């Protein structure tokens, strides 16, 4: 029994570290994990869930604003990018945040093509992160079900 | 005589401290982002604060009872020790909220902290000039909240100590008067 838990914990640790190393997550995600404890074991999952809902909503709105080439509401798009950048920054979604930086630049110069490319990219990145984190949370569940504790992982 | 004096020195009423309860700071947090609201709420709870979160400056004013025509009004007995507000919000900004709070006689003493994802110096200056206690760059860290909390508790402690000292002086004064009277 003990080795099963140890194995799962190792898997969890390696997976989490790889997410940081591949740039999916940054330090802010560590801060989020710090706020979770035995009393609030779903905190991180809840926050990121809100984040992904936010992404979906904002991407839809921005998509509509960018739809007609002759009538792009760049102010709307800029507002959406700003919100997306803010929330991705708050959860440590590094890749999403970085796309937002490029996205803002395209917005500033009213480059519709650039904006559309960024929109597509941000959609891809948030969905990718969603899958990765789902795998991470599943690992967490398996550890808990096997009677183990979620390891504290130190990211240098 | 001794009884009278004792009851004077021990007359510590409930409003010796403006803290919501012994060690709990009551923080009002204002942010239009649902992600940030969830985050800041948890951050504050973990830091042993009582938290009220609202999603706009307008709602914050409603909560404080400042949304009426009477500018100096406010909710009776509402104990808020700190207001933390996002800067960029649709409708009323955090800066405008800061101004309204500083204009109100009921709440102008409450420290207001502005949070922003943008490190814009003129913006920071403007907020500090308008009386903001501090300006925090988002995402806010646990260490930021701890620092705020510690400095607020120190300020409360100073106020409390000053008041206890004052009461001690008053008690000593009464004691001397009574002693003289006896003679």
């Amino acid at each position: 029994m003990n080795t099963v838990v140890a194995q799962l914990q190792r898997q969890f640790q390696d997976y989490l570290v790889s997410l940081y190393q591949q740039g999916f997550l940054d330090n802010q995600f560590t801060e989020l994990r710090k706020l979770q404890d035995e009393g609030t074991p779903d905190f991180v999952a809840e926050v990121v869930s809100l984040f992904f809902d936010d992404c979906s909503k904002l991407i839809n709105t921005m998509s509509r604003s960018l739809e007609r080439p002759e009538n792009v509401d760049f102010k709307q798009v800029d507002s959406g990018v700003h919100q997306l950048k803010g929330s991705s920054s708050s959860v440590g979604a590094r890749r999403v945040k970085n796309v937002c930086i490029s996205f803002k630049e395209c917005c500033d110069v009213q480059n519709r093509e650039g904006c559309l490319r960024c929109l597509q990219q941000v959609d891809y990145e948030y969905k990718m992160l969603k899958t990765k984190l789902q795998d991470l949370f599943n690992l967490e569940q398996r550890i808990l079900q096997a009677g183990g504790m979620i390891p504290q992982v130190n990211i240098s | 005589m001794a009884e009278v004096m004792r009851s004077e020195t021990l007359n510590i009423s409930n409003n010796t401290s403006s803290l919501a309860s012994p060690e709990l700071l009551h923080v009002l947090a204002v942010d239009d982002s649902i992600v940030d609201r969830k985050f800041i709420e948890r951050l504050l709870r973990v830091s042993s604060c009582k938290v009220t979160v609202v999603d706009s400056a307008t709602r914050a004013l409603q909560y404080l009872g400042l949304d009426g025509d009477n500018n100096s009004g406010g909710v009776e007995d509402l104990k808020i020790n700190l207001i933390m507000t996002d800067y960029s919000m649709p409708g009323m900004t955090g800066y405008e909220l800061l101004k309204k709070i500083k204009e109100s006689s009921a709440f102008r003493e409450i420290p207001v902290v502005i949070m922003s994802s943008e490190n814009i110096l003129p913006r920071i200056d403007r907020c500090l000039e308008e009386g903001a206690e501090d300006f925090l760059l988002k995402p806010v860290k646990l260490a930021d909240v701890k620092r705020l909390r510690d400095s607020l508790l120190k300020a409360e402690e100073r106020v409390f100590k000053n008041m206890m000292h004052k009461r001690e002086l008053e008690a000593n004064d009464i004691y001397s008067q009574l002693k003289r009277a006896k003679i």
Side-chain angles (χ1 to χ4, degrees), chain A residues 93-111:
Chain A
R94 187 172 165 277
R95 286 199 189 178
V96 177
K97 186 185 77 176
N98 285 341
V99 176
C100 289
I101 294 171
S102 313
F103 202 157
K104 175 147 176 46
E105 286 167 10
C106 291
C107 224
D108 288 344
V109 299
Q110 308 213 332
N111 174 2

Side-chain angles (χ1 to χ4, degrees), chain A residues 28 31-32 34-35 37 40 43 46-47 50-51 54 82 86-87 89-91, chain B residues 32-36 38-39 42-43 46 88 117-118 138-143:
Chain A
Q28 186 59 18
E31 291 289 309
L32 272 192
K34 275 195 217 165
L35 300 176
D37 58 23
T40 53
F43 172 70
E46 283 169 5
V47 179
L50 287 173
F51 167 63
D54 218 26
H82 179 82
S87 52
S89 172
S90 292
V91 304
Chain B
D32 62 313
S33 158
I34 190 169
V35 173
D36 288 350
K38 177 122 183 135
F39 176 63
R42 182 68 192 152
L43 206 61
V46 160
S88 316
S117 54
E118 292 166 301
K138 281 176 152 188
V140 177
K141 304 268 187 294
L142 250 179

